[in-house]
Amino acid sequence: MAADKKINHVEDKARKWLKERGVEVQDIADLVFYLQEKYHENLKMEDCIENVEKVLSKREVQNAIITGIQLDILAEKGMLEEPLQSIIATDESLYGVDEILAFSIVNVYGSIGFTNYGYIDKQKPGILAHLNDKSTGECHTFLDDIVGAIAAAASSRLAHRAANVE
């Protein structure tokens, strides 16, 4: 992130909560690299990081992050009313609101993001495997989808920019 860029309160909170929940920008950049390496011969990690940073700077992305993480935390603490508490705490398979929230992120950079998101959501590489691990005692029902969506959006941004350059 550029040192001269002023971060607003929402962006600051979104980045802080990602970090507190164990997600670093590098983890998301690793997912972008995973998604894009076969399409870009000279892909550099710096390019992946730059695109993740650009996605994280979007207000709609920040809103999705703080909303999803807050719901995960409340479920983790058992502070939601039933049946929502059980649904989110167990990441019930027929509950799709977590994916819908993630789609708000994917939409930021066009339809290619849906393909990237669907693929990475099924593969669960890198940090996504950890976030999806139910044995940790942590609830990441929303966060795993949010992280996958950020990676998908950053991959889409990278692909769009490469198509305009190549």
Side-chain angles (χ1 to χ4, degrees):
M1 180 176 48
D4 59 346
K5 181 183 178 266
K6 183 172 168 53
I7 297 178
N8 70 50
H9 177 66
V10 176
E11 182 174 355
D12 183 52
K13 186 62 77 173
R15 289 174 176 274
K16 179 181 176 212
W17 284 358
L18 281 171
K19 192 172 282 214
E20 286 175 1
R21 300 298 282 178
V23 178
E24 301 286 340
V25 168
Q26 181 66 53
D27 297 323
I28 303 171
D30 289 342
L31 297 174
V32 175
F33 194 87
Y34 174 85
L35 285 168
Q36 292 296 304
E37 67 180 323
K38 58 186 160 239
Y39 304 110
H40 304 280
E41 186 177 317
N42 298 315
L43 182 62
K44 295 179 179 77
M45 186 55 70
E46 304 88 68
D47 298 326
C48 299
I49 291 169
E50 175 188 343
N51 283 284
V52 170
E53 292 288 359
K54 292 292 187 183
V55 171
L56 289 173
S57 72
K58 296 286 196 180
R59 185 59 176 257
E60 44 285 57
V61 173
Q62 298 157 14
N63 289 338
I65 292 167
I66 64 173
T67 301
I69 289 176
Q70 189 62 202
L71 287 167
D72 282 346
I73 290 169
L74 291 171
E76 202 172 275
K77 293 178 178 179
M79 296 177 70
L80 299 170
E81 295 290 326
E82 289 297 345
L84 189 58
Q85 174 62 43
S86 296
I87 291 169
I88 294 177
T90 62
D91 198 1
E92 187 178 292
S93 62
L94 293 178
Y95 182 75
V97 178
D98 48 337
E99 281 86 7
I100 298 301
L101 186 62
F103 289 160
S104 71
I105 295 170
V106 172
N107 275 335
V108 173
Y109 290 101
S111 60
I112 189 173
F114 282 100
T115 306
N116 285 327
Y117 174 73
Y119 179 74
I120 207 161
D121 189 46
K122 289 296 178 199
Q123 296 292 312
K124 302 256 191 258
I127 188 71
L128 295 179
H130 168 73
L131 294 175
N132 201 48
D133 182 358
K134 308 294 186 257
S135 70
T136 65
E138 298 173 313
C139 178
H140 299 299
T141 297
F142 285 87
L143 186 57
D144 68 327
D145 294 306
I146 288 168
V147 169
I150 294 167
S155 295
S156 299
R157 185 179 189 281
L158 192 151
H160 283 291
R161 292 178 63 79
N164 290 332
V165 173
E166 295 171 357

